Amino acid sequence: MEDNIEDEEVEDEPDEPDERHVTLPNNAKAIFFYEGNGLYNEFTSAGPYPITFRGKQYPTAEHLYQARKFLDHRPTLAEHIRRGSDRPRFALTEARRFQNETRQDWNDICISVMDEILELKFSQHVILRRMLVATGSRILIYSCGKYDDFLGNGADGNRRNELGLALMRLRSKLTKREVIEEK
């Protein structure tokens, strides 16, 4: 992977930003991250950081995210995703295989579920929390190319970047929490 830290101009704020919008200074530098050996790949859902949720350990954030699509109405399937393999690709493949059984409101709740999972991941792993807070006000971009226009910035670099936005929201929350704890 090429150097994943590049200068990036920030577009003007939209007239009516939604609650997920994060305002950053115009001179902020972007951090591009993706699975692999690059810097900040720990921020992805595939990073090898187990997460405990409702008393059960999930091998990665990807496992928990995919299992949450089924957890409340198909717990056996969610358990299969959790325990079937330590590989994140397995969790994704199994969730896709059973996509017709995904909870009906998934599209309405997937971002809040992602926020919750990221908070668990970065709260349960101090090194990750420190890494995220240390990014300061830099823009975080999940640069996964053609593979994801929703969580990533897409092939053209102009897609939703929901994972990057979620990490910036969490960073803001963690930074505020640190300031309060220091007082």
Side-chain angles (χ1 to χ4, degrees):
M1 181 188 275
E2 295 182 11
D3 186 10
N4 63 347
I5 301 174
E6 301 176 16
D7 289 334
E8 182 78 6
E9 289 186 19
V10 177
E11 295 181 21
D12 292 334
E13 288 187 41
D15 293 334
E16 296 180 22
D18 65 25
E19 70 265 12
R20 297 183 317 264
H21 183 73
V22 178
T23 304
L24 296 165
N26 286 334
N27 62 354
K29 292 185 177 189
I31 294 173
F32 293 83
F33 64 98
Y34 184 57
E35 290 95 356
N37 295 323
L39 295 172
Y40 301 102
N41 66 338
E42 298 91 345
F43 291 179
T44 69
S45 60
Y49 295 90
I51 299 172
T52 301
F53 177 73
R54 295 183 185 170
K56 294 184 178 183
Q57 189 174 54
Y58 292 77
T60 66
E62 186 70 25
H63 284 80
L64 179 52
Y65 184 78
Q66 299 303 335
R68 290 289 304 272
K69 294 176 179 180
F70 312 99
L71 190 61
D72 295 330
H73 69 290
R74 291 290 311 275
T76 304
L77 180 52
E79 190 67 4
H80 165 69
I81 290 171
R82 181 177 81 87
R83 297 179 55 151
S85 170
D86 287 343
R87 294 176 308 126
R89 175 69 58 193
F90 169 82
L92 177 62
T93 300
E94 290 301 282
R96 284 183 177 162
R97 185 164 72 110
F98 294 101
Q99 68 184 355
N100 62 330
E101 298 186 48
T102 298
R103 58 184 293 164
Q104 300 239 337
D105 63 346
W106 183 251
N107 289 336
D108 298 328
I109 67 164
C110 66
I111 291 175
S112 63
V113 168
M114 178 175 50
D115 286 341
E116 178 184 13
I117 291 169
L118 288 172
E119 186 162 0
L120 288 170
K121 176 180 176 178
F122 284 80
S123 296
Q124 293 174 15
H125 298 281
V126 175
I127 191 165
L128 295 179
R129 183 171 58 248
R130 288 181 183 152
M131 282 179 68
L132 182 59
V133 169
T135 63
S137 62
R138 296 169 79 179
I139 301 166
L140 302 177
I141 299 174
Y142 182 41
S143 183
C144 55
K146 64 181 180 181
Y147 299 108
D148 200 329
D149 289 347
F150 180 74
L151 293 177
N153 67 341
D156 64 2
N158 292 312
R159 299 299 177 211
R160 292 185 60 163
N161 188 38
E162 291 294 341
L163 178 55
L165 293 172
L167 287 166
M168 290 185 285
R169 288 191 300 274
L170 178 59
R171 176 182 63 200
S172 177
K173 187 175 186 178
L174 293 173
T175 301
K176 288 175 185 172
R177 190 179 298 158
E178 283 186 359
V179 169
I180 290 170
E181 289 173 0
E182 289 176 0
K183 289 184 178 182

